[in-house]
Amino acid sequence: MDKTEFKQCFSRRLAEKFAMGVADASPNELYQTLGSLLTSTYSQKWQQTWTDYREAEQKQAYYFSIEFLPGKMLKSNLLNMGWLEMVTEGLAELGIDLEDLAEVEPDMALGNGGLGRLASCFMDSIASMGLPGNGNGIRYEYGLFKQHFVDNYQVELPDKWLHKGNLWEIRKESKAVDVHLGGEVYLVPDAAGNLSPDYQGGMTLRAVPYDTGMVGYQNDIVNTMRLWSVEIPPEEEENYRSIEDRRTVEDLTSVLYPDDSSEDGRKLRLSQEYFFVSAGVQSILRYYKQLNKPIDKINQSVAIHINDTHPAMCVAEFMRLLVDEENLSWERAWNLTQEVMSYTNHTIMAEALEKWSINMMKSVCPRIYQIIEEIDRRFVAEMTGVHDFDLIQRTRIIQDNQVHMAHLAIIGSHSTNGVAKLHSDLLKSVVLHDFYLLYPARFNNKTNGIAMRRWTQLANPALSKVLDETIGNSWRKQPTNLRLLLNYTEDDHVLAALADAKLANKKRLAAYIQEHCGIEVSPQAIFDVQIKRLHAYKRQLLNLLHIIKLYLDLKENPDLPIEPRVFIFGAKAAPSYHYAKSIIKVINETASLINQDPTINNKLKVVFLENYNVSLAERIIPAADVSEQISLASKEASGTSNMKLMLNGAVTIATLDGANVEIRDAVGEENIAIFGLTESEVYQYYENKNYSALSIYDENATIRKVLATLTDGTIPNISAEGYEIFDSLIKYNDEFFVLRDFEDYCLAQESVNKAYQDKRRWRQISLRNIASAGRFSADDTVQRYADDIWQIEPVFAHEDLRGAEHDSYLL
Ligand SMILES: *Cc1c(COP(=O)(O)O)cnc(C)c1O
């Protein structure tokens, strides 16, 4: 298709949909028009992909995740369809700026942070690698809350992202399934003498899927992300007359849990988990049965992935369907289940390892509880005599009246993986060590990755252009080819071109900051970025304490030779996470203090951008000079913003945590600022129980001076929060060893300051970071999942049934 054709089609579609011409249309009408042109075009390929998978009887993977965080999809789809340039130019000729129209799309924010973003990067990469893999999740009416600051406090507003409709989704009523929740269940013998479940009471709800096409990168593949929404089945209408009754049902897929690390409103959360698990597994089974293949070969056609523990009930639901509905023997069903299931662990934080009380699970899904009990009973019987009693007690699924979801996921699957080398090693040696003793072969590592296309081609066209001009465009398909850039470390022309691209991005961010915060920042300053969920273990507080130190130093000595720096934060705190919200308040108050202090002479600025989300990340990351990855070693499973920032030429200041270790290995020690305790030093403190924040405080005058500002009125309006934070450090002994790492962090920051002052050296370091980021492509990560865990292949991997050439998308 060419530009002329596109312009005609676009104008015609606008007239059909809205009965108007380009001149009269609003950005939203233009967005709707373009979007509908895209969906109606890729639908063909989508249908073809379905057909191909079915006819080739392709084994498919289903990625179950309670979160997906795709952000905006318009430009990503344009890029993957190969239309981006043509549409940008075509629209321009019609007097339309694609950016204006892209801006209208609401972020699809059905996730909290890294977990959901990873799931969406994987969706893009699975399709782009031509792999048969689909998403399965929940279509929340409301996405993650919108964050505002009022009096420097976080305030949460609902995210009505479906307000104007969602043009990417298709409601598939014909694919709906029913899910049973609550009530009681009895086992009664049937005619053949087998026990079968008899359900009493409870409610039957309809799960209706909304499918979204996941368009592969210029390869004609369109996979499916299936999100489930709850409805009242028509035949049940009379049971739901009152508004309250209907509300109870609708709540099920109403809000995304705004907290990924601790649980409130627990019963609703558990119901959400069972709802999307049951709907997803049922629909997979129904599809499989349509293929007319024997049920006991289902492991050759289906791989189900459990992304963190939230979908762990897949194990029991799959068993339920095979045993109760398909009449397989328990043993056969169990073997199939283990072969089909695989599990990714995302955290070592104890509070995020899900446990449900027996009573609650019985009340939400009684049959599932019975099955878990039986799995647990058989596990204990099987292990008894093979392993020692204590080990079995520690690893069983049901303990202390609670169901341990990670145990269910590990016992019921053939693969458990961590998300970075260090994290996977910690799983084996500490967190899941007991399970490693039972099942050493199940454990493996799959270091996270990012959808390179979104974080360079879409987010950073300026950099992409320099890359094309320098090393050709092969990196767009093969990100490891970014290595070619290393041939140019001494090329001042290339170094300058990269620096110009960075400067342009910084100017753009500076304008955004001016517009949204009313703060003027110089694009010449160092842009120092920490963007991620607000959490104590991620240690935004460490960053803040260093800022306060710089401020005090500058007050004492205004001529201090430091490069002007702009500290940029983006972070949401879970609404119920009081401490995290106090940190936000204190950062904001510190920002007000510093930004308005004329004696600082613009050497320091602090900017906390509201409502951090994928779109904001796409704006900030290309403009970053410094990437803050400063979690306490052992606490961040992997991190992915570290990869995105590196790819965009930011220099990382980091602890040896999560994937930072692999980033250091990739880029080399001289091109990253590493500081702080190592994971083994952290564990030594735990073992010896000899961490004393108070003695560090007593011995370190700088720390005393910095902490004093929290309570002595230096920072205004934080009388409660200042004490709260001070107490967390001194009275409650600084859970995340902020004070222990403080001095080392300040030294690392000084080295960053010094490196920046040597412009050429800085540019070389930045270049080496870009050149070394290719190994973190999610394309490669999902290929490793496909090979090692799912055993799936691209359709037509062996036969060339379809033309080898991508025939592009035709209108
Ligand atoms: C990448 C990303 C994250 C994950 O950031 P981490 O620093 O790895 O925790 C969270 N939120 C958004 C919007 C992202 O794009």
Side-chain angles (χ1 to χ4, degrees):
M1 188 186 56
D2 65 18
K3 204 163 52 185
T4 319
E5 223 179 316
F6 163 73
K7 287 194 301 187
Q8 284 165 358
C9 284
F10 182 83
S11 301
R12 197 181 326 126
R13 182 65 61 94
L14 179 65
E16 285 163 7
K17 265 181 93 75
F18 296 105
M20 56 174 68
V22 167
D24 294 324
S26 70
N28 184 46
E29 285 151 352
L30 296 170
Y31 161 70
Q32 298 288 339
T33 303
L34 180 58
S36 91
L37 211 54
L38 261 61
T39 53
S40 63
T41 306
Y42 71 60
S43 289
Q44 241 172 300
K45 310 276 186 195
W46 196 1
Q47 196 181 355
Q48 188 63 48
T49 304
W50 277 104
T51 312
D52 290 344
Y53 290 166
R54 190 169 54 230
E55 287 178 356
E57 299 192 345
Q58 202 76 10
K59 182 174 186 185
Q60 296 186 53
Y62 299 87
Y63 196 83
F64 279 61
S65 180
I66 204 159
E67 300 190 7
F68 286 93
L69 195 53
K72 299 191 200 302
M73 294 205 281
L74 178 69
K75 284 206 284 180
S76 169
N77 284 339
L78 283 171
L79 177 73
N80 288 4
M81 290 167 72
W83 275 21
L84 187 56
E85 224 170 296
M86 184 262 296
V87 166
T88 308
E89 287 169 15
L91 289 176
E93 287 170 20
L94 294 171
I96 304 165
D97 185 348
L98 174 64
E99 291 305 317
D100 292 344
L101 167 168
E103 201 50 44
V104 173
E105 179 178 359
D107 265 46
M108 190 180 191
L110 309 184
N112 281 292
L115 179 84
R117 184 54 229 166
L118 184 78
S120 286
C121 278
F122 278 11
M123 286 299 106
D124 183 315
S125 286
I126 289 170
S128 295
M129 298 303 281
L131 291 164
N134 310 288
N136 190 83
I138 298 175
R139 180 180 177 271
Y140 304 99
E141 282 296 312
Y142 296 90
L144 182 61
F145 66 86
K146 287 210 146 92
Q147 178 194 54
H148 274 276
F149 295 142
V150 176
D151 292 338
N152 286 332
Y153 286 107
Q154 168 175 299
V155 171
E156 301 97 27
L157 300 177
D159 171 35
K160 298 188 200 169
W161 72 288
L162 288 168
H163 199 56
K164 290 180 185 159
N166 170 14
L167 60 85
W168 308 114
E169 67 184 13
I170 299 177
R171 180 173 185 274
K172 292 219 171 120
E173 196 173 348
S174 64
K175 306 277 187 238
V177 298
D178 286 346
V179 175
H180 192 77
L181 282 163
E184 280 165 73
V185 65
Y186 303 94
L187 293 180
V188 292
D190 61 14
N194 299 319
L195 292 176
S196 68
D198 179 22
Y199 293 85
Q200 300 284 325
M203 52 184 177
T204 300
L205 300 174
R206 184 137 306 165
V208 180
Y210 287 70
D211 287 355
T212 300
M214 297 284 116
V215 181
Y217 183 58
Q218 298 176 14
N219 65 357
D220 295 341
I221 296 288
V222 182
N223 287 333
T224 303
M225 174 172 69
R226 172 162 285 183
L227 302 180
W228 297 94
S229 183
V230 70
E231 291 181 18
I232 295 166
E235 61 274 18
E236 301 270 331
E237 275 292 344
E238 76 254 33
N239 298 326
Y240 299 93
R241 286 269 161 73
S242 75
I243 290 190
E244 291 93 287
D245 286 349
R246 302 189 73 89
R247 179 74 42 81
T248 319
V249 172
E250 286 156 8
D251 274 352
L252 205 55
T253 52
S254 175
V255 287
L256 162 75
Y257 228 71
D259 190 342
D260 46 9
S261 59
S262 75
E263 327 288 335
D264 273 329
R266 297 171 61 84
K267 189 166 177 182
L268 178 59
R269 168 74 157 190
L270 183 61
S271 305
Q272 287 186 328
E273 291 182 357
Y274 183 61
F275 177 77
F276 95 102
V277 159
S278 178
V281 175
Q282 284 189 64
S283 87
I284 291 166
L285 229 73
R286 184 169 63 189
Y287 171 79
Y288 177 75
K289 288 172 71 175
Q290 284 166 1
L291 301 175
N292 285 317
K293 304 218 286 192
I295 195 74
D296 67 354
K297 295 268 189 298
I298 191 167
N299 55 325
Q300 294 171 15
S301 295
V302 172
I304 291 180
H305 199 80
I306 298 170
N307 188 36
D308 215 349
T309 52
H310 322 111
M313 278 184 287
C314 280
V315 170
E317 178 68 1
F318 200 68
M319 282 299 287
R320 182 182 77 80
L321 293 169
L322 294 186
V323 173
D324 291 354
E325 308 286 327
E326 304 300 327
N327 299 313
L328 287 192
S329 73
W330 181 280
E331 291 75 15
R332 188 68 201 122
W334 183 242
N335 286 335
L336 291 171
T337 301
Q338 286 181 317
E339 282 176 40
V340 164
M341 302 291 159
S342 51
Y343 159 61
T344 298
N345 172 288
H346 283 274
T347 181
I348 63 158
M349 304 287 284
E351 68 266 31
L353 287 173
E354 278 188 303
K355 300 176 195 77
W356 296 102
S357 79
I358 290 177
N359 284 338
M360 191 181 298
M361 194 169 271
K362 269 184 183 165
S363 80
V364 169
C365 40
R367 181 66 185 137
I368 291 304
Y369 178 70
Q370 287 178 344
I371 289 170
I372 291 174
E373 241 182 344
E374 181 63 12
I375 295 172
D376 187 50
R377 191 187 68 76
R378 286 175 185 247
F379 169 76
V380 173
E382 184 194 328
M383 291 298 168
T384 300
V386 184
H387 292 283
D388 72 68
F389 179 80
D390 289 346
L391 177 61
I392 299 169
Q393 292 309 309
R394 289 196 303 270
T395 48
R396 56 186 299 180
I397 302 169
I398 301 171
Q399 301 174 30
D400 313 325
N401 286 317
Q402 289 187 310
V403 182
H404 291 238
M405 304 309 273
H407 300 196
L408 175 64
I410 297 166
I411 291 169
S413 66
H414 67 279
S415 168
T416 292
N417 74 281
V419 290
K421 276 188 196 139
L422 175 69
H423 171 62
S424 296
D425 287 344
L426 275 172
L427 291 182
K428 291 198 282 191
S429 63
V430 184
V431 188
L432 300 175
H433 179 65
D434 289 332
F435 288 97
Y436 182 61
L437 294 175
L438 302 180
Y439 311 117
R442 289 188 191 177
F443 282 78
N444 64 96
N445 174 247
K446 295 285 170 284
T447 299
N448 282 167
I450 55 174
M452 292 276 166
R453 293 165 287 280
R454 180 176 285 268
W455 301 104
T456 46
Q457 299 185 54
L458 292 182
N460 199 343
L463 172 62
S464 303
K465 186 154 168 279
V466 177
L467 292 174
D468 283 349
E469 287 165 1
T470 310
I471 57 171
N473 61 10
S474 68
W475 63 274
R476 290 176 181 254
K477 275 231 160 195
Q478 191 44 263
T480 47
N481 287 354
L482 288 169
R483 280 257 149 225
L484 296 169
L485 204 53
L486 289 179
N487 297 327
Y488 300 88
T489 29
E490 300 298 336
D491 184 325
D492 286 310
H493 179 72
V494 170
L495 292 174
L498 289 169
D500 287 348
K502 179 64 76 183
L503 184 63
N505 292 326
K506 288 169 76 173
K507 285 181 176 161
R508 184 163 166 265
L509 181 60
Y512 182 89
I513 291 171
Q514 176 67 262
E515 186 187 335
H516 288 80
C517 315
I519 301 169
E520 195 183 328
V521 299
S522 162
Q524 307 300 333
I526 303 175
F527 278 21
D528 182 318
V529 167
Q530 187 172 22
I531 42 174
K532 49 188 74 252
R533 284 303 289 260
L534 203 311
H535 207 292
Y537 84 80
K538 292 179 183 273
R539 301 201 296 192
Q540 280 92 352
L541 177 58
L542 181 57
N543 191 343
L544 173 69
L545 295 182
H546 171 250
I547 293 170
I548 296 172
K549 176 188 179 290
L550 284 182
Y551 175 69
L552 296 177
D553 289 350
L554 277 170
K555 290 299 272 186
E556 219 165 86
N557 177 10
D559 297 325
L560 202 70
I562 63 164
E563 279 301 301
R565 225 196 270 213
V566 182
F567 289 94
I568 297 166
F569 290 90
K572 288 178 182 174
S576 62
Y577 191 175
H578 188 267
Y579 183 73
K581 292 170 107 171
S582 296
I583 302 268
I584 290 180
K585 168 72 169 169
V586 176
I587 294 174
N588 276 333
E589 290 294 347
T590 308
S592 305
L593 173 72
I594 294 177
N595 296 340
Q596 286 161 25
D597 188 332
T599 64
I600 294 306
N601 204 12
N602 293 329
K603 280 192 168 162
L604 278 187
K605 289 272 158 113
V606 183
V607 176
F608 202 139
L609 287 163
E610 281 176 328
N611 202 39
Y612 178 57
N613 61 11
V614 173
S615 292
L616 192 52
E618 288 167 3
R619 208 180 265 282
I620 296 171
I621 289 170
D625 295 308
V626 175
S627 162
E628 299 274 351
Q629 307 299 337
I630 60 178
S631 54
L632 175 63
S634 79
K635 293 297 178 280
E636 186 75 88
S638 164
T640 48
S641 76
N642 46 4
M643 301 166 184
K644 300 167 197 165
L645 283 154
M646 172 197 198
L647 174 65
N648 281 274
V651 178
T652 310
I653 178 164
T655 51
L656 286 176
D657 199 14
N660 300 345
V661 178
E662 287 154 82
I663 288 179
R664 180 204 56 182
D665 293 347
V667 77
E669 241 159 351
E670 329 73 52
N671 302 300
I672 186 170
I674 297 290
F675 74 96
L677 294 172
T678 63
E679 150 271 322
S680 68
E681 289 165 338
V682 170
Y683 273 91
Q684 242 152 30
Y685 274 118
Y686 293 155
E687 228 160 79
N688 303 332
K689 298 190 171 63
N690 63 347
Y691 184 75
S692 168
L694 185 60
S695 32
I696 296 171
Y697 178 79
D698 283 339
E699 282 159 26
N700 188 318
T702 309
I703 287 180
R704 285 202 301 279
K705 211 170 62 176
V706 169
L707 291 196
T709 63
L710 296 173
T711 53
D712 68 5
T714 307
I715 304 168
N717 309 319
I718 57 162
S719 50
E721 296 81 10
Y723 274 103
E724 184 187 354
I725 291 165
F726 184 88
D727 283 351
S728 77
L729 294 173
I730 303 304
K731 196 165 157 194
Y732 300 107
N733 202 29
D734 184 15
E735 184 180 358
F736 297 104
F737 300 177
V738 172
L739 299 189
R740 177 66 178 76
D741 276 350
F742 179 73
E743 228 173 11
D744 208 13
Y745 178 59
C746 292
L747 288 174
Q749 286 288 19
E750 268 172 44
S751 77
V752 165
N753 179 63
K754 220 164 152 211
Y756 194 83
Q757 287 173 334
D758 180 346
K759 285 281 170 286
R760 188 160 195 272
R761 174 162 167 236
W762 185 266
R763 289 172 180 185
Q764 290 175 319
I765 296 175
S766 173
L767 175 147
R768 288 194 199 101
N769 270 275
I770 301 167
S772 313
R775 74 155 79 170
F776 298 107
S777 167
D779 291 357
D780 295 336
T781 310
V782 300
Q783 190 60 54
R784 289 190 281 267
Y785 276 86
D787 293 341
D788 303 346
I789 302 178
W790 302 330
Q791 269 91 49
I792 56 168
E793 294 186 325
V795 76
F796 311 129
H798 299 302
E799 313 156 66
D800 193 14
L801 295 185
R802 229 198 294 182
E805 274 305 298
H806 159 63
D807 60 358
S808 89
Y809 287 83
L810 304 175
L811 272 166

